Amino acid sequence: MSLTAGIVGLPNVGKSTLFNAITKKNILAANYPFATIDPNVGVVLVPDDRLDFLNELYKPKSLVPTTFEFTDIAGLVKGASKGEGLGNKFLSHIREVDAICEVVRCFENKNIIHVEEDVNPLRDIEIIEVELILADLEIVENRFNKIGKKAALSKDKEVQKEAAILTKLKSTLEKNIPIRRIDLTDDEKLYIKPFNLLTAKPIIYVANVSEDDLLTGNNQYIDVVREYAAKDNAKVVTICAKVESDLSEMTNEEKTQFLNELGVSESGIDKLIKASYSLLGLKTFFTAGEDECRAWTFKDGTKAPACAGIIHSDFEKGFIKAEIMSYEDLKKYGNEKSVKEAGKVRLEGKEYLVQDGDICYFRFNA
């Protein structure tokens, strides 16, 4: 399942440094605007302690974690919707992602240029939001102009329905409200999907702080970001891109020791990966055995045959039943035999909605 989150923000807020750390790729991270011009795409492993347990239990020949994709997108500036900076190129790259991770600068450093000359996270967030709203408004208005007159004269219910939806979107955007903040029916969501509206995408705010602030937990800007994020019911992940960059160069043992010294249980990157994965409604099921233990990504609400099809299309076509046990039961009872003896293994049919942590054995006709 190929879903991706785009890392966006103003120039020099730490996007590329963070992306380098996330993917351990050596892309350009320079102290001037537009160091990143073309979007860089990286696939990262989704951290999951459950796979570690399965590895210890089965000792498989192969261990395959699930993955998630991040795209680093060039820095945006005020006026991008009118072509300033990288303008339309930047906006087109955002349209291609499924979710937005907006990096917000929450640290002072006179040696790192800020495109707006001072640190003000609220202003920075609003600059980006206004540009995305203006870009969406242009798309909505162009479409409305094509069908508005037709809707006024026509008795076609579908045309009138489309005009009503466009009117709702236009009114919302003109009030500087992103689409994600309004209630849309399932029909309305289906209708606007081809438009790929920027402000309809789910969002996470990434507060990039200094190393000192990460250690002390004192930062005057984070509360501002959290207050704004609450309007979107969005998560805020606090990271120090510089620390994450250092961590990416360490061995697992060194990383664990360093995190212990910082007094945290997991890195900011691990938190961001998990939050992005969750933001898109993604879950994990497992297949486990002596040959291979593997994590598979699926969309929440997916039925068993479709999950079988993630492994191989033939599994979905010939689906018969799914033998299911939960990870929690396996961990509780210690092995498959004990789970079965406890009556915790079940057979599920075509209507079963696969749950996060299910360990699945699919039966199918070849």
Side-chain angles (χ1 to χ4, degrees):
M1 177 171 294
S2 181
L3 293 174
T4 182
I7 301 175
V8 306
L10 295 178
N12 297 338
V13 297
K15 294 185 301 83
S16 294
T17 301
L18 176 62
F19 181 80
N20 286 349
I22 286 175
T23 62
K24 298 184 181 178
K25 283 191 174 183
N26 187 28
I27 63 167
L28 179 63
N31 180 26
Y32 55 90
F34 315 128
T36 306
I37 296 176
D38 294 319
N40 297 275
V41 179
V43 177
V44 299
L45 304 181
V46 177
D48 197 325
D49 293 339
R50 297 172 297 183
L51 197 59
D52 296 334
F53 173 83
L54 295 177
N55 188 40
E56 286 297 315
L57 180 63
Y58 290 95
K59 300 190 178 351
K61 298 173 185 174
S62 173
L63 184 71
V64 185
T66 191
T67 60
F68 188 78
E69 194 173 279
F70 281 97
T71 301
D72 179 38
I73 298 170
L76 176 149
V77 294
K78 189 183 295 184
S81 60
K82 303 299 181 184
E84 294 295 326
L86 296 173
N88 294 330
K89 191 172 186 179
F90 169 94
L91 296 171
S92 69
H93 291 154
I94 303 179
R95 291 200 190 281
E96 294 169 6
V97 303
D98 302 288
I100 295 172
C101 295
E102 183 175 334
V103 181
V104 185
R105 179 168 168 174
C106 294
F107 65 89
E108 302 277 357
N109 188 329
K110 62 183 179 181
N111 294 320
I112 298 178
I113 300 165
H114 191 294
V115 72
E116 292 292 328
E117 299 184 352
D118 65 338
V119 178
N120 184 331
L122 180 59
R123 176 207 57 213
D124 294 355
I125 292 171
E126 289 178 341
I127 285 174
I128 289 181
E129 184 163 282
V130 166
E131 295 305 324
L132 301 188
I133 285 173
L134 290 173
D136 281 351
L137 185 58
E138 182 178 4
I139 286 178
V140 171
E141 286 180 333
N142 286 342
R143 180 59 185 166
F144 185 80
N145 289 339
K146 288 181 180 178
I147 72 155
K149 291 181 180 179
K150 183 179 178 181
L153 300 173
S154 173
K155 293 182 180 180
D156 187 322
K157 290 184 179 180
E158 287 303 312
V159 173
Q160 292 177 347
K161 181 180 176 181
E162 182 178 3
I165 295 172
L166 290 168
T167 299
K168 181 177 181 178
L169 297 177
K170 185 170 178 288
S171 174
T172 298
L173 294 167
E174 286 175 342
K175 295 173 185 173
N176 272 345
I177 299 172
I179 300 302
R180 73 175 71 89
R181 290 189 196 158
I182 63 172
D183 291 328
L184 296 173
T185 65
D186 289 342
D187 281 348
E188 288 171 335
K189 290 176 183 177
L190 192 62
Y191 170 76
I192 71 170
K193 190 174 181 179
F195 292 165
N196 238 346
L197 296 176
L198 301 170
T199 66
K201 297 180 186 295
I203 191 167
I204 291 174
Y205 294 94
V206 183
N208 187 14
V209 302
S210 68
E211 187 171 352
D212 288 342
D213 287 350
L214 186 68
L215 290 169
T216 64
N218 297 323
N219 184 291
Q220 61 180 315
Y221 300 121
I222 292 178
D223 287 341
V224 174
V225 177
R226 287 195 179 113
E227 184 178 346
Y228 193 91
K231 297 178 183 179
D232 291 315
N233 292 318
K235 290 183 179 180
V236 176
V237 177
T238 301
I239 59 107
C240 172
K242 175 63 172 63
V243 167
E244 300 300 331
S245 180
D246 292 341
L247 283 169
S248 70
E249 302 300 323
M250 298 180 185
T251 64
N252 287 337
E253 185 177 333
E254 290 171 337
K255 180 178 174 181
T256 299
Q257 183 179 346
F258 187 63
L259 290 174
N260 287 337
E261 290 173 0
L262 291 175
V264 295
S265 58
E266 61 181 343
S267 71
I269 282 178
D270 284 352
K271 291 178 183 177
L272 178 59
I273 293 170
K274 290 178 181 179
S276 302
Y277 194 76
S278 175
L279 183 68
L280 288 169
L282 301 180
K283 305 290 184 182
T284 303
F285 74 86
F286 302 94
T287 51
E290 293 181 357
D291 286 335
E292 180 184 79
C293 287
R294 182 164 183 162
W296 303 86
T297 298
F298 70 99
K299 192 85 171 175
D300 192 22
T302 303
K303 293 180 179 179
C307 280
I310 292 171
I311 299 174
H312 196 288
S313 58
D314 288 347
F315 289 14
E316 182 173 9
K317 293 174 184 175
F319 179 88
I320 301 173
K321 291 285 184 181
E323 184 178 308
I324 305 286
M325 63 178 165
S326 73
Y327 166 81
E328 293 300 330
D329 284 337
L330 181 60
K331 187 175 181 181
K332 177 180 177 180
Y333 293 103
N335 56 60
E336 283 188 36
K337 182 181 177 182
S338 297
V339 175
K340 290 177 180 177
E341 289 173 350
K344 296 295 184 179
V345 176
R346 61 194 189 276
L347 287 177
E348 300 289 355
K350 293 182 178 180
E351 295 304 309
Y352 175 69
L353 297 177
V354 175
Q355 301 299 305
D356 185 60
D358 277 352
I359 300 170
C360 304
Y361 298 87
F362 295 109
R363 299 181 184 179
F364 66 101
N365 285 318

